[in-house]
Structures are given as C-alpha cells and as structure tokens.
Amino acid sequence: EPEVTQTPSHQVTQMGQEVILRCVPISNHLYFYWYRQILGQKVEFLVSFYNNEISEKSEIFDDQFSVERPDGSNFTLKIRSTKLEDSAMYFCASSEGLSGNTIYFGEGSWLTVV
Amino acid sequence: AQSVTQLDSHVSVSEGTPVLLRCNYSSSYSPSLFWYVQHPNKGLQLLLKYTSAATLVKGINGFEAEFKKSETSFHLTKPSAHMSDAAEYFCVVSASYNTDKLIFGTGTRLQVFP
C-alpha cells in the first residue's frame, strides 16, 4: 500500500536554529498538508498546499513557518527560528482531492527544541 | 464551527469483550466524519470514514461506526477487542464542506487487558 514517508523521525535542535522537515507524499496525490501535535494536546492543522501554493493555513502558521515543494516528490516544512513551543510531533499528509477524500498521514517527525 | 467531542479520554476493556468509543460532533452542514488510530510510535491510520452515504460504516480490523444525525453522534464499535487494538483513537470532522482541513478530537486511549 502506498504511504507517506517523513524524515527525520526525530530531531533535536537548539532554540533559534532553522529546521526543515521532509515528506514524500503518495505519488498521485495533489493535496499536501502539515499537522502538528504538541505532547498531550490535540492534533492541529497547520497548512494545506495545492498547485504549488498554500491553499489554507491556520493561525499557528506564522511567518516563522514556510512550506515548499522543491521537486516533483518532496514536500517540506521549514521553521526559520525554532522556539521551545515548537516542540511537537509534525505530521505530513496527502490526499487525491477534496470533499471527503481520504487523507493519508505519515508516521510523523518528532521535533524537540532545547 | 465544526467540532468533535470524544466523551472518554481512557477506555479499558478485556480482550474478547466489545469496544465502544464515543464521539459527538457539531456541524452546521452535513459533515464528513472519520476515525483515525495511532499506535505507539506510529503515524495516524484511517480506520473508517463517513461521507453521507450509508450511515453504518465498516472499517478496517473489524471496527465500525454509525452516523446518527438525531443524536449528533459517530461512535466507534468493535464486537470483540484484541490486544493489538490498544492505541489512541481520534474522532475527526472535516472543517467545512469545501475544505480538506480536519478538526481532531482530543483522543481516546484504549487499553486492552488479557
């Protein structure tokens, strides 16, 4: 079964450093997403991406965050200057389309900011 | 605004007994509803989804859920629990009819005892 893959599985970074989380969505999918889950809290939507641009973003997704699809297969989330509160599990996801299409999630990238 | 409420943060059952994980939703339109499962150190896996077709939805691993509009509920059930069912379960609703943004519940941790 095709799957969404994410790297790294775990990253520890110092506060203020830039972090890039990488994802390879399912190959025929057109919609890409990032969600995050702070320890003990809900899974939260960050951003959706379609046709090489952001289609929707949450209040969490401020100027410190950016997403990019640098080639035909990768989808990245960049955090420019990490803060302690960015420590979370970050999930990449993808789907074929809107309106009830299944969204497939990767296994997540644990980010720990120290 | 759409939301889901998972009524139990923890549920414990004995192996071989029925499982019931409760979820109520709030939506201003006919929602798409999902149940996702997260096993320890794993990503989010779709168990089943409701998108306004049959109200009784069958998913993977013997799980099913019934959409009850009159009760605004979407409870997840399984006739007989297995040790491998121990995980965190999330009830999820689509944020709007024309968006792919998902809104997660707080999760229910299912423990299965031998």
Side-chain angles (χ1 to χ4, degrees), chain A residues 8-23:
Chain A
S9 56
H10 191 194
Q11 182 164 352
V12 181
T13 189
Q14 289 206 325
M15 192 167 54
Q17 295 296 304
E18 176 182 285
V19 161
I20 297 176
L21 304 179
R22 292 182 167 81
C23 170

Side-chain angles (χ1 to χ4, degrees), chain B residues 38-51:
Chain B
Q38 184 180 27
H39 290 275
N41 302 314
K42 293 290 185 183
L44 295 160
Q45 181 185 21
L46 180 70
L47 274 180
L48 51 81
K49 66 178 181 180
Y50 166 78
T51 54

Side-chain angles (χ1 to χ4, degrees), chain A residues 7-51:
Chain A
T7 55
S9 56
H10 191 194
Q11 182 164 352
V12 181
T13 189
Q14 289 206 325
M15 192 167 54
Q17 295 296 304
E18 176 182 285
V19 161
I20 297 176
L21 304 179
R22 292 182 167 81
C23 170
V24 179
I26 295 172
S27 62
N28 63 331
H29 286 185
L30 301 176
Y31 295 81
F32 314 113
Y33 316 88
W34 284 100
Y35 284 75
R36 79 171 184 189
Q37 184 182 27
I38 295 172
L39 193 63
Q41 297 186 22
K42 287 186 185 185
V43 177
E44 304 171 288
F45 170 81
L46 289 179
V47 66
S48 59
F49 191 87
Y50 169 71
N51 199 25

